[in-house]
mmCIF file of all heavy atoms in Angstrom:
data_model
loop_
_atom_site.group_PDB
_atom_site.id
_atom_site.type_symbol
_atom_site.label_atom_id
_atom_site.label_comp_id
_atom_site.label_asym_id
_atom_site.label_seq_id
_atom_site.Cartn_x
_atom_site.Cartn_y
_atom_site.Cartn_z
ATOM 1 N N CYS A 35 15.056 10.485 -11.255
ATOM 2 C CA CYS A 35 13.959 11.313 -11.798
ATOM 3 C C CYS A 35 14.489 12.542 -12.469
ATOM 4 O O CYS A 35 13.714 13.428 -12.861
ATOM 5 C CB CYS A 35 12.950 11.671 -10.728
ATOM 6 S SG CYS A 35 11.942 10.256 -10.211
ATOM 7 N N LEU A 37 16.146 15.118 -11.335
ATOM 8 C CA LEU A 37 15.894 16.384 -10.626
ATOM 9 C C LEU A 37 17.193 16.979 -10.082
ATOM 10 O O LEU A 37 17.189 18.030 -9.457
ATOM 11 C CB LEU A 37 14.918 16.176 -9.482
ATOM 12 C CG LEU A 37 13.508 15.758 -9.844
ATOM 13 C CD1 LEU A 37 12.597 15.622 -8.655
ATOM 14 C CD2 LEU A 37 12.886 16.723 -10.874
ATOM 15 N N LEU A 86 9.185 17.245 -6.473
ATOM 16 C CA LEU A 86 8.149 16.183 -6.680
ATOM 17 C C LEU A 86 8.741 15.122 -7.578
ATOM 18 O O LEU A 86 9.174 15.370 -8.693
ATOM 19 C CB LEU A 86 6.877 16.802 -7.274
ATOM 20 C CG LEU A 86 5.765 15.803 -7.345
ATOM 21 C CD1 LEU A 86 5.171 15.472 -5.963
ATOM 22 C CD2 LEU A 86 4.644 16.281 -8.314
ATOM 23 N N ALA A 87 8.728 13.897 -7.087
ATOM 24 C CA ALA A 87 9.280 12.811 -7.839
ATOM 25 C C ALA A 87 8.575 11.506 -7.495
ATOM 26 O O ALA A 87 8.223 11.231 -6.350
ATOM 27 C CB ALA A 87 10.794 12.624 -7.490
ATOM 28 N N VAL A 88 8.358 10.700 -8.558
ATOM 29 C CA VAL A 88 7.901 9.317 -8.391
ATOM 30 C C VAL A 88 8.812 8.426 -9.202
ATOM 31 O O VAL A 88 9.124 8.753 -10.344
ATOM 32 C CB VAL A 88 6.415 9.179 -8.925
ATOM 33 C CG1 VAL A 88 5.974 7.774 -8.880
ATOM 34 C CG2 VAL A 88 5.452 10.074 -8.095
ATOM 35 N N GLN A 93 5.436 5.391 -11.837
ATOM 36 C CA GLN A 93 4.677 6.496 -12.333
ATOM 37 C C GLN A 93 3.343 6.059 -12.927
ATOM 38 O O GLN A 93 3.122 4.964 -13.290
ATOM 39 C CB GLN A 93 5.494 7.280 -13.321
ATOM 40 C CG GLN A 93 6.723 7.961 -12.684
ATOM 41 C CD GLN A 93 7.607 8.716 -13.635
ATOM 42 O OE1 GLN A 93 7.329 8.816 -14.833
ATOM 43 N NE2 GLN A 93 8.756 9.180 -13.093
ATOM 44 N N ARG A 94 2.425 7.032 -13.003
ATOM 45 C CA ARG A 94 1.077 6.846 -13.546
ATOM 46 C C ARG A 94 0.189 5.927 -12.705
ATOM 47 O O ARG A 94 -0.664 5.233 -13.185
ATOM 48 C CB ARG A 94 1.132 6.354 -15.019
ATOM 49 C CG ARG A 94 1.956 7.257 -15.963
ATOM 50 C CD ARG A 94 1.421 8.653 -16.031
ATOM 51 N NE ARG A 94 0.338 8.761 -16.951
ATOM 52 C CZ ARG A 94 0.410 9.252 -18.187
ATOM 53 N NH1 ARG A 94 1.571 9.631 -18.671
ATOM 54 N NH2 ARG A 94 -0.665 9.359 -18.955
ATOM 55 N N ASN A 95 0.469 5.899 -11.379
ATOM 56 C CA ASN A 95 -0.357 5.121 -10.463
ATOM 57 C C ASN A 95 -1.074 6.015 -9.453
ATOM 58 O O ASN A 95 -1.669 5.546 -8.506
ATOM 59 C CB ASN A 95 0.529 4.130 -9.703
ATOM 60 C CG ASN A 95 0.907 2.933 -10.515
ATOM 61 O OD1 ASN A 95 0.157 2.444 -11.314
ATOM 62 N ND2 ASN A 95 2.145 2.447 -10.394
ATOM 63 N N GLY A 96 -0.988 7.340 -9.680
ATOM 64 C CA GLY A 96 -1.657 8.222 -8.791
ATOM 65 C C GLY A 96 -0.818 8.730 -7.583
ATOM 66 O O GLY A 96 -1.318 9.443 -6.695
ATOM 67 N N TYR A 97 0.416 8.268 -7.501
ATOM 68 C CA TYR A 97 1.240 8.610 -6.344
ATOM 69 C C TYR A 97 1.704 10.096 -6.382
ATOM 70 O O TYR A 97 1.693 10.778 -5.305
ATOM 71 C CB TYR A 97 2.513 7.734 -6.259
ATOM 72 C CG TYR A 97 2.233 6.231 -6.198
ATOM 73 C CD1 TYR A 97 3.118 5.341 -6.613
ATOM 74 C CD2 TYR A 97 1.007 5.796 -5.688
ATOM 75 C CE1 TYR A 97 2.872 3.954 -6.575
ATOM 76 C CE2 TYR A 97 0.688 4.422 -5.564
ATOM 77 C CZ TYR A 97 1.666 3.515 -6.045
ATOM 78 O OH TYR A 97 1.399 2.171 -5.986
ATOM 79 N N GLY A 98 1.991 10.623 -7.556
ATOM 80 C CA GLY A 98 2.327 12.046 -7.630
ATOM 81 C C GLY A 98 1.156 12.907 -7.234
ATOM 82 O O GLY A 98 1.313 13.840 -6.457
ATOM 83 N N ARG A 99 -0.028 12.583 -7.679
ATOM 84 C CA ARG A 99 -1.232 13.255 -7.322
ATOM 85 C C ARG A 99 -1.454 13.201 -5.823
ATOM 86 O O ARG A 99 -1.819 14.190 -5.169
ATOM 87 C CB ARG A 99 -2.479 12.699 -8.055
ATOM 88 C CG ARG A 99 -3.753 13.369 -7.694
ATOM 89 C CD ARG A 99 -4.939 12.558 -8.241
ATOM 90 N NE ARG A 99 -5.198 12.722 -9.691
ATOM 91 C CZ ARG A 99 -5.817 13.763 -10.189
ATOM 92 N NH1 ARG A 99 -6.317 14.701 -9.463
ATOM 93 N NH2 ARG A 99 -6.033 13.813 -11.524
ATOM 94 N N PHE A 120 7.708 25.774 -9.964
ATOM 95 C CA PHE A 120 8.520 26.033 -11.144
ATOM 96 C C PHE A 120 8.741 24.719 -11.861
ATOM 97 O O PHE A 120 9.129 23.739 -11.276
ATOM 98 C CB PHE A 120 9.925 26.594 -10.753
ATOM 99 C CG PHE A 120 9.865 27.854 -9.890
ATOM 100 C CD1 PHE A 120 9.934 27.802 -8.544
ATOM 101 C CD2 PHE A 120 9.608 29.089 -10.528
ATOM 102 C CE1 PHE A 120 9.886 28.927 -7.753
ATOM 103 C CE2 PHE A 120 9.543 30.231 -9.720
ATOM 104 C CZ PHE A 120 9.655 30.154 -8.349
ATOM 105 N N VAL A 121 8.505 24.736 -13.150
ATOM 106 C CA VAL A 121 8.823 23.528 -13.951
ATOM 107 C C VAL A 121 9.358 24.002 -15.303
ATOM 108 O O VAL A 121 8.833 24.959 -15.868
ATOM 109 C CB VAL A 121 7.554 22.628 -14.091
ATOM 110 C CG1 VAL A 121 6.370 23.372 -14.700
ATOM 111 C CG2 VAL A 121 7.880 21.400 -14.870
ATOM 112 N N ASN A 125 10.069 20.199 -19.732
ATOM 113 C CA ASN A 125 9.540 19.022 -19.013
ATOM 114 C C ASN A 125 8.075 18.913 -19.361
ATOM 115 O O ASN A 125 7.211 19.125 -18.576
ATOM 116 C CB ASN A 125 9.798 19.198 -17.536
ATOM 117 C CG ASN A 125 9.588 17.905 -16.747
ATOM 118 O OD1 ASN A 125 9.067 16.932 -17.307
ATOM 119 N ND2 ASN A 125 10.033 17.874 -15.509
ATOM 120 N N SER A 127 6.175 16.375 -19.882
ATOM 121 C CA SER A 127 5.284 15.378 -19.128
ATOM 122 C C SER A 127 4.891 15.933 -17.765
ATOM 123 O O SER A 127 3.722 15.782 -17.355
ATOM 124 C CB SER A 127 5.956 14.044 -19.032
ATOM 125 O OG SER A 127 7.183 14.122 -18.338
ATOM 126 N N ALA A 128 5.835 16.634 -17.100
ATOM 127 C CA ALA A 128 5.509 17.211 -15.801
ATOM 128 C C ALA A 128 4.463 18.333 -15.966
ATOM 129 O O ALA A 128 3.522 18.444 -15.133
ATOM 130 C CB ALA A 128 6.741 17.734 -15.064
ATOM 131 N N ALA A 130 2.184 18.449 -18.247
ATOM 132 C CA ALA A 130 0.902 17.774 -18.500
ATOM 133 C C ALA A 130 0.267 17.265 -17.220
ATOM 134 O O ALA A 130 -0.914 17.373 -16.964
ATOM 135 C CB ALA A 130 1.066 16.670 -19.520
ATOM 136 N N PHE A 131 1.163 16.761 -16.340
ATOM 137 C CA PHE A 131 0.747 16.247 -15.051
ATOM 138 C C PHE A 131 0.128 17.361 -14.221
ATOM 139 O O PHE A 131 -0.991 17.237 -13.694
ATOM 140 C CB PHE A 131 1.948 15.620 -14.385
ATOM 141 C CG PHE A 131 1.784 15.405 -12.838
ATOM 142 C CD1 PHE A 131 1.039 14.365 -12.301
ATOM 143 C CD2 PHE A 131 2.352 16.368 -11.968
ATOM 144 C CE1 PHE A 131 0.927 14.222 -10.901
ATOM 145 C CE2 PHE A 131 2.189 16.191 -10.614
ATOM 146 C CZ PHE A 131 1.503 15.139 -10.063
ATOM 147 N N TYR A 132 0.834 18.442 -14.133
ATOM 148 C CA TYR A 132 0.374 19.560 -13.294
ATOM 149 C C TYR A 132 -0.941 20.155 -13.791
ATOM 150 O O TYR A 132 -1.818 20.479 -13.095
ATOM 151 C CB TYR A 132 1.383 20.661 -13.155
ATOM 152 C CG TYR A 132 2.586 20.305 -12.297
ATOM 153 C CD1 TYR A 132 3.884 20.346 -12.736
ATOM 154 C CD2 TYR A 132 2.372 19.930 -10.946
ATOM 155 C CE1 TYR A 132 4.975 20.001 -11.912
ATOM 156 C CE2 TYR A 132 3.453 19.557 -10.101
ATOM 157 C CZ TYR A 132 4.744 19.641 -10.622
ATOM 158 O OH TYR A 132 5.767 19.296 -9.828
ATOM 159 N N ARG A 134 -3.174 18.565 -15.449
ATOM 160 C CA ARG A 134 -4.207 17.550 -15.090
ATOM 161 C C ARG A 134 -4.701 17.752 -13.629
ATOM 162 O O ARG A 134 -5.869 17.472 -13.322
ATOM 163 C CB ARG A 134 -3.590 16.139 -15.255
ATOM 164 C CG ARG A 134 -4.600 15.061 -15.200
ATOM 165 C CD ARG A 134 -5.345 14.872 -16.517
ATOM 166 N NE ARG A 134 -6.427 13.969 -16.357
ATOM 167 C CZ ARG A 134 -7.693 14.157 -16.802
ATOM 168 N NH1 ARG A 134 -7.991 15.216 -17.453
ATOM 169 N NH2 ARG A 134 -8.610 13.237 -16.573
ATOM 170 N N LEU A 135 -3.748 18.194 -12.778
ATOM 171 C CA LEU A 135 -4.109 18.443 -11.394
ATOM 172 C C LEU A 135 -4.794 19.777 -11.166
ATOM 173 O O LEU A 135 -5.113 20.136 -10.055
ATOM 174 C CB LEU A 135 -2.823 18.364 -10.503
ATOM 175 C CG LEU A 135 -2.599 16.991 -9.837
ATOM 176 C CD1 LEU A 135 -2.476 15.879 -10.862
ATOM 177 C CD2 LEU A 135 -1.357 17.037 -8.972
HETATM 178 C C1 COA B 25 5.598 14.312 -12.687
HETATM 179 C C2 COA B 25 5.453 13.078 -11.808
HETATM 180 C C3 COA B 25 5.763 13.458 -10.366
HETATM 181 C C4 COA B 25 4.020 12.593 -11.903
HETATM 182 O O1 COA B 25 3.776 11.520 -10.996
HETATM 183 P P1 COA B 25 2.813 10.284 -11.320
HETATM 184 O O2 COA B 25 2.653 9.537 -10.056
HETATM 185 O O3 COA B 25 3.314 9.573 -12.486
HETATM 186 O O4 COA B 25 1.483 11.019 -11.653
HETATM 187 P P2 COA B 25 0.003 10.474 -11.304
HETATM 188 O O5 COA B 25 -0.088 9.016 -11.605
HETATM 189 O O6 COA B 25 -0.375 10.882 -9.918
HETATM 190 O O7 COA B 25 -0.883 11.265 -12.335
HETATM 191 C C5 COA B 25 -1.907 12.190 -12.028
HETATM 192 C C6 COA B 25 -2.636 12.597 -13.256
HETATM 193 O O8 COA B 25 -1.724 13.191 -14.182
HETATM 194 C C7 COA B 25 -1.705 12.458 -15.381
HETATM 195 N N1 COA B 25 -0.344 12.404 -15.895
HETATM 196 C C8 COA B 25 0.752 11.934 -15.244
HETATM 197 N N2 COA B 25 1.840 12.014 -16.030
HETATM 198 C C9 COA B 25 1.354 12.446 -17.184
HETATM 199 C C10 COA B 25 1.989 12.704 -18.464
HETATM 200 N N3 COA B 25 3.296 12.477 -18.599
HETATM 201 N N4 COA B 25 1.256 13.174 -19.457
HETATM 202 C C11 COA B 25 -0.081 13.353 -19.289
HETATM 203 N N5 COA B 25 -0.742 13.157 -18.149
HETATM 204 C C12 COA B 25 -0.007 12.708 -17.134
HETATM 205 C C13 COA B 25 -2.177 11.083 -15.038
HETATM 206 O O9 COA B 25 -2.777 10.415 -16.170
HETATM 207 C C14 COA B 25 -3.173 11.342 -13.957
HETATM 208 O O10 COA B 25 -4.417 11.775 -14.546
HETATM 209 P P3 COA B 25 -5.824 11.157 -13.946
HETATM 210 O O11 COA B 25 -5.725 11.203 -12.404
HETATM 211 O O12 COA B 25 -6.894 12.015 -14.535
HETATM 212 O O13 COA B 25 -5.835 9.738 -14.443
HETATM 213 C C15 COA B 25 6.369 11.967 -12.300
HETATM 214 O O14 COA B 25 6.139 11.738 -13.665
HETATM 215 C C16 COA B 25 7.858 12.240 -12.073
HETATM 216 O O15 COA B 25 8.431 11.950 -11.020
HETATM 217 N N6 COA B 25 8.503 12.789 -13.136
HETATM 218 C C17 COA B 25 9.923 13.025 -13.084
HETATM 219 C C18 COA B 25 10.319 14.140 -12.051
HETATM 220 C C19 COA B 25 9.706 15.460 -12.449
HETATM 221 O O16 COA B 25 9.718 15.906 -13.599
HETATM 222 N N7 COA B 25 9.077 16.117 -11.408
HETATM 223 C C20 COA B 25 8.479 17.412 -11.534
HETATM 224 C C21 COA B 25 9.531 18.435 -11.401
HETATM 225 S S1 COA B 25 8.855 20.107 -11.485
#
Side-chain angles (χ1 to χ4, degrees):
C35 288
L37 296 182
L86 184 71
V88 174
Q93 291 177 7
R94 305 299 281 258
N95 286 321
Y97 302 154
R99 180 190 282 278
F120 303 99
V121 55
N125 195 344
S127 61
F131 162 81
Y132 287 124
R134 191 79 188 134
L135 264 58

